[in-house]
Coordinates of all heavy atoms in Angstrom, one line a residue:
I61 N 37.8 -36.9 5.2 CA 39.2 -37.4 5.5 C 39.7 -37.0 6.8 O 40.1 -37.8 7.6 CB 40.1 -37.0 4.3 CG1 39.8 -37.7 3.0 CG2 41.6 -37.3 4.7 CD1 40.7 -37.3 1.9
R113 N 43.9 -44.4 4.7 CA 42.6 -43.8 5.2 C 41.8 -44.8 5.9 O 41.6 -45.9 5.5 CB 41.7 -43.3 4.0 CG 42.4 -42.1 3.2 CD 41.4 -41.6 2.1 NE 42.2 -40.8 1.2 CZ 41.7 -40.3 0.0 NH1 40.4 -40.5 -0.3 NH2 42.4 -39.6 -0.8
E115 N 38.9 -46.1 6.4 CA 37.6 -46.2 5.8 C 37.0 -47.6 6.1 O 37.7 -48.5 6.5 CB 37.7 -46.0 4.3 CG 38.3 -44.7 3.9 CD 37.9 -44.3 2.5 OE1 36.7 -44.1 2.2 OE2 38.8 -44.3 1.6
F120 N 37.5 -52.9 -3.6 CA 38.2 -51.8 -4.2 C 38.3 -50.6 -3.2 O 38.6 -49.5 -3.7 CB 37.4 -51.3 -5.5 CG 37.0 -52.4 -6.4 CD1 35.7 -52.7 -6.7 CD2 38.0 -53.2 -7.0 CE1 35.3 -53.7 -7.5 CE2 37.7 -54.2 -7.8 CZ 36.3 -54.5 -8.1
R121 N 38.1 -50.8 -2.0 CA 38.3 -49.7 -1.0 C 39.1 -50.3 0.2 O 38.7 -51.2 0.9 CB 36.9 -49.2 -0.5 CG 37.1 -47.9 0.3 CD 35.7 -47.3 0.7 NE 35.0 -46.7 -0.4 CZ 35.3 -45.6 -1.0 NH1 36.3 -44.9 -0.5 NH2 34.7 -45.1 -2.0
Y122 N 40.3 -49.8 0.3 CA 41.3 -50.3 1.3 C 41.7 -49.2 2.3 O 41.4 -48.0 2.1 CB 42.5 -50.8 0.6 CG 42.2 -52.0 -0.3 CD1 41.9 -51.7 -1.7 CD2 42.2 -53.3 0.2 CE1 41.6 -52.8 -2.5 CE2 41.8 -54.3 -0.7 CZ 41.6 -54.1 -2.0 OH 41.3 -55.1 -2.8
F125 N 46.1 -47.9 0.4 CA 45.9 -48.0 -1.1 C 47.0 -47.2 -1.8 O 47.6 -46.3 -1.2 CB 44.5 -47.6 -1.5 CG 44.2 -46.2 -1.2 CD1 44.3 -45.2 -2.1 CD2 43.8 -45.9 0.1 CE1 44.0 -43.9 -1.8 CE2 43.5 -44.5 0.4 CZ 43.6 -43.5 -0.5
Q127 N 48.5 -44.9 -4.9 CA 48.1 -43.9 -5.9 C 49.4 -43.6 -6.8 O 50.5 -43.6 -6.3 CB 47.7 -42.6 -5.3 CG 46.3 -42.7 -4.6 CD 45.8 -41.3 -4.1 OE1 46.6 -40.4 -3.9 NE2 44.5 -41.2 -4.0
K210 N 27.6 -39.8 1.3 CA 27.3 -41.1 0.6 C 26.1 -41.7 1.1 O 25.7 -42.8 0.7 CB 28.5 -42.0 0.7 CG 29.9 -41.4 0.3 CD 30.2 -41.8 -1.1 CE 31.6 -41.4 -1.7 NZ 32.4 -40.4 -1.2
R258 N 34.3 -32.7 -5.0 CA 35.5 -33.4 -4.5 C 35.5 -33.4 -3.0 O 35.0 -32.4 -2.3 CB 36.7 -32.7 -5.0 CG 36.8 -32.4 -6.5 CD 36.9 -33.7 -7.3 NE 37.9 -34.6 -6.9 CZ 37.7 -35.8 -6.4 NH1 36.5 -36.4 -6.5 NH2 38.7 -36.6 -5.9
G259 N 36.1 -34.4 -2.4 CA 36.0 -34.5 -1.0 C 37.1 -33.7 -0.2 O 37.3 -33.9 1.0
L260 N 37.8 -32.9 -1.0 CA 38.9 -32.1 -0.4 C 38.6 -30.7 -0.6 O 38.2 -30.3 -1.7 CB 40.3 -32.5 -1.0 CG 40.6 -34.0 -1.0 CD1 40.5 -34.5 -2.5 CD2 41.9 -34.3 -0.5
E269 N 36.9 -36.2 -12.6 CA 36.9 -37.5 -12.1 C 36.8 -38.5 -13.2 O 36.1 -38.2 -14.2 CB 35.8 -37.7 -11.1 CG 35.8 -38.9 -10.3 CD 34.8 -38.9 -9.1 OE1 35.1 -38.3 -8.1 OE2 33.8 -39.5 -9.3
Q278 N 32.3 -48.4 -6.1 CA 33.6 -47.7 -5.9 C 34.1 -47.4 -7.3 O 35.1 -48.0 -7.8 CB 34.6 -48.5 -5.2 CG 34.3 -49.1 -3.9 CD 33.2 -48.5 -3.1 OE1 33.1 -47.4 -2.8 NE2 32.3 -49.4 -2.7
A280 N 35.2 -44.7 -9.0 CA 36.2 -43.7 -9.4 C 37.6 -44.3 -9.5 O 38.1 -44.9 -8.6 CB 36.3 -42.5 -8.4
V281 N 38.3 -44.2 -10.7 CA 39.6 -44.7 -10.8 C 40.7 -43.7 -10.7 O 41.8 -43.9 -10.4 CB 39.8 -45.5 -12.2 CG1 38.9 -46.7 -12.2 CG2 39.6 -44.6 -13.4
A282 N 40.3 -42.4 -10.9 CA 41.2 -41.3 -10.8 C 40.5 -40.0 -10.6 O 39.3 -39.9 -11.1 CB 42.1 -41.2 -12.1
A283 N 41.1 -39.0 -10.0 CA 40.4 -37.8 -9.8 C 41.4 -36.7 -9.5 O 42.6 -37.0 -9.2 CB 39.5 -37.9 -8.6
A305 N 45.2 -38.0 -9.1 CA 45.7 -39.2 -8.5 C 44.9 -40.4 -9.1 O 43.7 -40.3 -9.2 CB 45.6 -39.2 -7.0
I306 N 45.7 -41.4 -9.4 CA 45.0 -42.6 -10.0 C 45.0 -43.7 -8.8 O 46.0 -43.8 -8.2 CB 45.9 -43.2 -11.2 CG1 46.0 -42.1 -12.3 CG2 45.3 -44.5 -11.7 CD1 47.0 -42.6 -13.4
G307 N 43.9 -44.4 -8.7 CA 43.9 -45.4 -7.6 C 44.3 -46.8 -8.2 O 43.6 -47.3 -9.0
E309 N 44.5 -49.9 -6.9 CA 43.7 -51.0 -6.7 C 42.4 -51.0 -7.5 O 41.8 -52.1 -7.6 CB 43.3 -51.1 -5.2 CG 44.5 -51.4 -4.2 CD 45.4 -50.3 -4.0 OE1 45.1 -49.2 -4.5 OE2 46.4 -50.5 -3.2
R310 N 42.1 -49.9 -8.0 CA 40.9 -49.9 -8.9 C 41.2 -50.2 -10.3 O 40.3 -50.6 -11.1 CB 40.2 -48.5 -8.8 CG 40.0 -48.1 -7.3 CD 38.5 -47.8 -7.0 NE 38.4 -47.5 -5.6 CZ 37.8 -46.4 -5.1 NH1 37.3 -45.5 -5.9 NH2 37.6 -46.3 -3.8
Ligands
LIG26 P1 35.9 -42.2 -3.4 O1 34.8 -41.3 -3.8 O2 35.9 -43.5 -4.1 O3 36.0 -42.3 -1.9 P2 37.9 -40.1 -3.3 O4 37.2 -38.9 -3.9 O5 37.9 -40.2 -1.8 O6 37.3 -41.5 -3.9 P3 40.5 -39.1 -4.1 O7 40.8 -38.6 -2.8 O8 40.1 -38.2 -5.2 O9 39.3 -40.2 -3.9 O10 41.6 -40.2 -4.6 C1 41.9 -40.4 -6.0 C2 41.7 -41.9 -6.3 O11 42.3 -42.7 -5.3 C3 40.2 -42.3 -6.3 O12 39.6 -42.0 -7.5 C4 40.3 -43.8 -6.1 O13 40.6 -44.4 -7.4 C5 41.5 -43.9 -5.2 N1 41.1 -44.1 -3.8 C6 40.6 -43.2 -2.9 N2 40.3 -43.8 -1.7 C7 40.6 -45.2 -1.9 C8 40.5 -46.3 -1.0 N3 40.2 -46.2 0.2 N4 40.9 -47.5 -1.5 C9 41.3 -47.6 -2.8 N5 41.4 -46.6 -3.7 C10 41.1 -45.4 -3.2

Side-chain angles (χ1 to χ4, degrees):
I61 293 181
R113 295 184 196 174
E115 300 200 67
F120 314 117
R121 190 174 290 285
Y122 298 91
F125 58 98
Q127 288 185 336
K210 307 267 188 332
R258 308 291 313 119
L260 309 108
E269 193 168 278
Q278 308 339 305
V281 297
I306 303 173
E309 288 78 1
R310 306 235 175 129

